[in-house]
Amino acid sequence: MSMEIHRFVQQLVRSASAIQALCADPGLEPHWKPTPEKWSTVEVLCHLADEEREDFRRRLDLTLHNPDEEWPPIDPEGWVKERKYARRDPQEALDDFRSERERSITWLKGLESPDFSIAREHPIAGTLRAGDLLASWVNHDLLHLRQIIGLQHAWIEMTSKPFTSRYAGSW
């Protein structure tokens, strides 16, 4: 099963650049949450760094090179409180994500003829092939880019009152 890994690697590079560009603006409050149960931008950044380090890169590596080895457990929702994401410095969180993404890109570029058809069973997701993990990794970025943009949109709506942005079009 063939997969054009370079296309996926380039998308991960582009997504990381977009995340960095969106989160580098000090004018947008990175700790703000629209509601208590939603994540702030800094929490999203911490999540992205941890997912990079402990989920996607690690699990794809295990699937490709040690498919019978158990995946280490992850708890993305629990990590938000356990690891005190809300208290993290936004620049440090962004730097951590950037550093982990650079490690991932270097690792992905170093793979020699990976077999993306190697599969394993996940207790919730069912059969997952290595290619499924890579495609999910790329789309995970896009989901969180949408989340970050939504946070920024809501922040601008809130802080521009009594003015509105309705002229921009509907969200």
Side-chain angles (χ1 to χ4, degrees):
M1 178 171 292
S2 171
M3 185 175 210
E4 293 183 42
I5 188 170
H6 68 276
R7 286 185 34 233
F8 288 87
V9 170
Q10 287 311 306
Q11 182 59 49
L12 287 169
V13 169
R14 284 189 300 273
S15 295
S17 294
I19 290 164
Q20 183 174 333
L22 285 167
C23 296
D25 181 356
L28 298 172
E29 174 49 55
H31 289 95
W32 176 78
K33 300 167 133 189
T35 62
E37 67 278 357
K38 300 281 186 183
W39 288 1
S40 68
T41 300
V42 74
E43 289 170 324
V44 173
L45 287 169
C46 292
H47 166 76
L48 286 167
D50 284 346
E51 285 289 296
E52 197 77 15
R53 178 177 31 249
E54 298 177 56
D55 186 354
F56 290 106
R57 186 175 67 229
R58 189 159 187 203
R59 289 180 171 198
L60 181 55
D61 184 34
L62 285 171
T63 302
L64 289 171
H65 301 112
N66 297 298
D68 295 327
E69 189 175 325
E70 287 297 315
W71 283 350
I74 60 170
D75 183 15
E77 293 289 330
W79 291 344
V80 177
K81 289 183 180 159
E82 176 188 317
R83 297 178 180 184
K84 300 176 176 60
Y85 286 176
R87 295 183 186 170
R88 294 273 310 272
D89 176 77
Q91 188 59 54
E92 288 177 13
L94 183 57
D95 290 345
D96 187 26
F97 167 67
R98 184 183 317 115
S99 173
E100 289 301 327
R101 177 53 57 90
E102 287 171 3
R103 283 187 185 99
S104 295
I105 297 303
T106 300
W107 176 76
L108 285 165
K109 286 180 175 179
L111 291 176
E112 294 182 23
S113 303
D115 180 357
F116 287 109
S117 68
I118 297 173
R120 62 179 302 136
E121 289 300 312
H122 185 273
I124 298 169
T127 302
L128 286 174
R129 296 164 297 178
D132 299 325
L133 288 172
L134 183 56
S136 296
W137 191 352
V138 169
N139 275 331
H140 182 260
D141 273 7
L142 298 175
L143 292 171
H144 287 295
L145 273 165
R146 182 173 64 184
Q147 182 182 22
I148 291 165
I149 290 167
L151 284 164
Q152 291 187 3
H153 178 271
W155 174 255
I156 290 168
E157 284 288 307
M158 185 187 76
T159 60
S160 64
K161 291 183 185 204
F163 305 102
T164 74
S165 63
R166 72 176 180 267
Y167 182 69
S170 63
W171 180 253

